[in-house]
């Protein structure tokens, strides 16, 4: 797809933006002084299955290499600037141009989510991640088939006296 920088990434757009928004929301404190929403770990645990079931093998390898490159940045400031430079190209809305209005509105969430993904890339795209993703997809398809068969059996049994 010519509007994707990494194969399959646009399919993850909504989930990545939602994860970034949740991450930003988790940093906001409510008036009682307690943090709201979810932890980074909870957000990452929700985002990881989306990434491993949607992205192609080469896409995961690219993210791993970008994370290694980011780690070579000397300071936290330079790591943040690295993310600011690559995130707009890395994560774009489906069938949309870079810096379209939607992309601009979601940019803060995209930056937060990109940092989270790069920080956890070795855990997400570790050994045999692609096979785990395919297994999850196969299991979900199998579950849908079994559910459809069960519904059909229920409808058949409901018509019997």
């Amino acid at each position: 797809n010519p509007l994707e920088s990494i194969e399959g990434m646009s399919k993850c757009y909504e989930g990545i933006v939602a994860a970034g928004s949740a991450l930003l929301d988790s940093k906001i404190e409510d008036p009682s002084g307690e943090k709201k929403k979810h932890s980074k770990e909870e957000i990452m645990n929700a985002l990881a299955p989306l990434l491993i079931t949607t992205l192609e093998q080469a896409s995961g390898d690219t993210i791993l290499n970008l994370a290694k490159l980011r780690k070579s940045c000397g300071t936290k400031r330079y790591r943040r600037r690295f993310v600011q430079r690559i995130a707009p190209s890395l994560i774009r809305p489906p069938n949309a141009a870079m810096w379209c209005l939607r992309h601009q509105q979601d940019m803060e969430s995209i930056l937060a989510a990109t940092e989270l993904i790069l920080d956890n890339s070795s855990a997400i795209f570790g050994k045999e991640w692609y096979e785990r993703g395919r297994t999850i997809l196969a299991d979900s398809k199998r579950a849908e088939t079994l559910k459809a068969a069960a519904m059909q059996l229920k409808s058949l049994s409901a018509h019997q006296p």
Side-chain angles (χ1 to χ4, degrees):
N1 183 352
L3 296 176
E4 282 186 299
S5 55
I6 292 183
E7 191 66 37
M9 193 60 98
S10 68
K11 295 175 191 169
C12 302
Y13 183 80
E14 295 295 330
I16 291 170
V17 170
S21 295
L23 192 60
L24 293 172
D25 289 346
S26 72
K27 293 179 182 178
I28 299 171
E29 292 188 14
D30 65 13
S32 65
E34 295 179 21
K35 282 196 172 184
K36 288 191 207 180
K37 311 283 179 186
H38 306 287
S39 69
K40 281 185 178 183
E41 186 178 324
E42 291 172 318
I43 295 167
M44 198 64 246
N45 288 339
L47 184 58
L50 172 68
L51 295 172
I52 67 171
T53 57
T54 309
L55 297 179
E56 295 297 321
Q57 178 90 40
S59 301
D61 294 341
T62 300
I63 292 173
L64 277 173
N65 288 327
L66 287 170
K68 287 177 188 174
L69 186 60
R70 180 174 175 254
K71 285 179 184 174
S72 70
C73 295
T75 64
K76 186 175 182 177
R77 177 180 176 213
Y78 286 131
R79 285 190 293 276
R80 179 76 177 155
R81 289 181 77 187
F82 178 82
V83 169
Q84 290 171 340
R85 300 297 187 276
I86 67 162
S89 299
L90 191 64
I91 302 168
R92 291 187 275 174
N95 300 315
M98 193 161 75
W99 294 114
C100 66
L101 186 58
R102 180 179 178 197
H103 197 221
Q104 291 176 35
Q105 291 171 340
D106 295 337
M107 192 50 59
E108 193 175 353
S109 297
I110 290 170
L111 293 174
T114 302
E115 279 191 32
L116 183 68
I117 292 167
L118 293 176
D119 286 343
N120 294 285
S121 63
S122 58
I124 301 169
F125 303 107
K127 191 174 184 180
E128 298 180 8
W129 72 270
Y130 189 74
E131 290 77 21
R132 281 183 306 164
R134 299 302 141 228
T135 302
I136 291 170
L137 282 176
D139 289 347
S140 64
K141 287 179 184 176
R142 213 173 297 128
E144 287 176 21
T145 303
L146 290 172
K147 186 176 179 181
M151 294 301 283
Q152 186 176 9
L153 287 172
K154 281 183 181 179
S155 68
L156 290 173
S157 66
H159 295 300
Q160 299 295 330

